[in-house]
Amino acid sequence: MRSRFDEQLSLLNKKMIEMGTECESIIYLSVKALLEGDTGCADKAKNLRENIDHMERNIESICIKLLLQQQPVARDLRVISAALKMITDMERIGDQAENITDIISYLNGRTDVECTDIRIMAEAAMKMVTESVDAYVRQDIDLANAVIEYDDVIDDAFDRVKQTLINMISENASDGEYALDLLMIAKYFEKIGDHAVNIAEWVEFSVTGVHKG
């Protein structure tokens, strides 16, 4: 019975990695769209987001089967419960990355050359999402804590983005709408970072039984 449970738990970990990889891919796509002014990325992002939604339902089904059929012990129960929470955050990451590509489709090919800190936010968000899922699979509290601490990189960059956009508008009022679009993009990356922190906190819960939130 335990060997069967371990097989299904291994499948759960594999699916979590796959969903995390898709989240990383859609974030990368949103960064590519932003830096290259590629409006064609929106359709690709939609397909990735739909795939992420499908993965969420698939993982949810695996978790429910593990809970109902295998009667997991305390540690296993925390791992499965954490996975159920994490996939909600990953699904939202997919939504927000898709929203970024939607906004970019209205920028008429203009990129964020005036606001390079958005790229820093995007790269940090991608790193945090990847490592938070990796921390779950490895049950690595140190890596989870590192993800939580790395959120300061995104927060600091977001503060610089806001100041840059304020300066942009003060220098040229006609850039107001463009600046607001960039602010929304930066805000979505900031939210993606928050979701990665949530994932890392659930990793801690799965190992220790204590959730900071």
Side-chain angles (χ1 to χ4, degrees):
M1 181 67 74
R2 181 67 203 188
S3 62
R4 173 60 177 163
F5 178 86
D6 288 340
E7 288 176 4
Q8 291 182 309
L9 201 60
S10 178
L11 176 62
L12 172 61
N13 288 343
K14 179 175 180 290
K15 295 299 182 182
M16 292 290 288
I17 292 171
E18 290 175 357
M19 189 173 181
T21 299
E22 287 294 273
C23 287
E24 184 178 353
S25 295
I26 196 171
I27 296 170
Y28 173 79
L29 192 63
S30 67
V31 175
K32 181 177 183 292
L34 182 67
L35 298 180
E36 299 178 6
D38 186 351
T39 59
C41 286
D43 289 337
K44 296 177 183 177
K46 180 180 179 181
N47 291 335
L48 280 172
R49 194 266 306 158
E50 289 175 349
N51 195 28
I52 288 170
D53 289 349
H54 175 73
M55 287 179 168
E56 180 191 24
R57 292 190 294 271
N58 187 21
I59 292 172
E60 186 178 60
S61 176
I62 293 172
C63 288
I64 290 173
K65 288 179 181 178
L66 282 168
L67 291 171
L68 294 180
Q69 298 177 5
Q70 300 297 337
Q71 297 179 337
V73 296
R75 173 68 180 272
D76 297 326
L77 182 60
R78 292 199 304 268
V79 169
I80 298 166
S81 299
L84 285 168
K85 294 290 186 179
M86 290 166 63
I87 59 175
T88 299
D89 281 295
M90 287 195 280
E91 187 272 335
R92 290 173 181 168
I93 286 169
D95 288 346
Q96 286 153 3
E98 183 190 16
N99 289 340
I100 291 169
T101 62
D102 285 341
I103 294 173
I104 292 168
S105 67
Y106 294 103
L107 295 183
N108 297 320
R110 189 173 178 182
T111 64
D112 75 324
V113 290
E114 300 91 345
C115 201
T116 55
D117 281 303
I118 293 181
R119 180 170 187 168
I120 293 174
M121 295 182 69
E123 291 173 347
M126 192 154 43
K127 171 184 171 68
M128 290 171 67
V129 170
T130 300
E131 293 186 352
S132 62
V133 177
D134 190 29
Y136 168 82
V137 174
R138 291 160 51 185
Q139 293 289 279
D140 188 333
I141 296 181
D142 290 337
L143 184 56
N145 282 324
V147 170
I148 294 169
E149 292 174 3
Y150 204 75
D151 192 44
D152 289 342
V153 174
I154 289 185
D155 291 341
D156 291 344
F158 189 41
D159 288 339
R160 295 194 299 271
V161 167
K162 288 185 285 188
Q163 188 58 55
T164 298
L165 296 180
I166 289 171
N167 294 339
M168 181 190 298
I169 295 173
S170 65
E171 292 170 4
N172 187 354
S174 64
D175 274 337
E177 185 174 350
Y178 174 62
L180 288 175
D181 284 338
L182 289 183
L183 180 61
M184 286 299 300
I185 290 169
K187 185 62 180 176
Y188 280 129
F189 280 125
E190 192 254 350
K191 287 182 177 180
I192 288 172
D194 288 343
H195 287 304
V197 169
N198 289 346
I199 292 170
E201 289 178 347
W202 283 113
V203 171
E204 288 191 313
F205 167 79
S206 71
V207 176
T208 67
V210 176
H211 186 267
K212 289 181 178 178

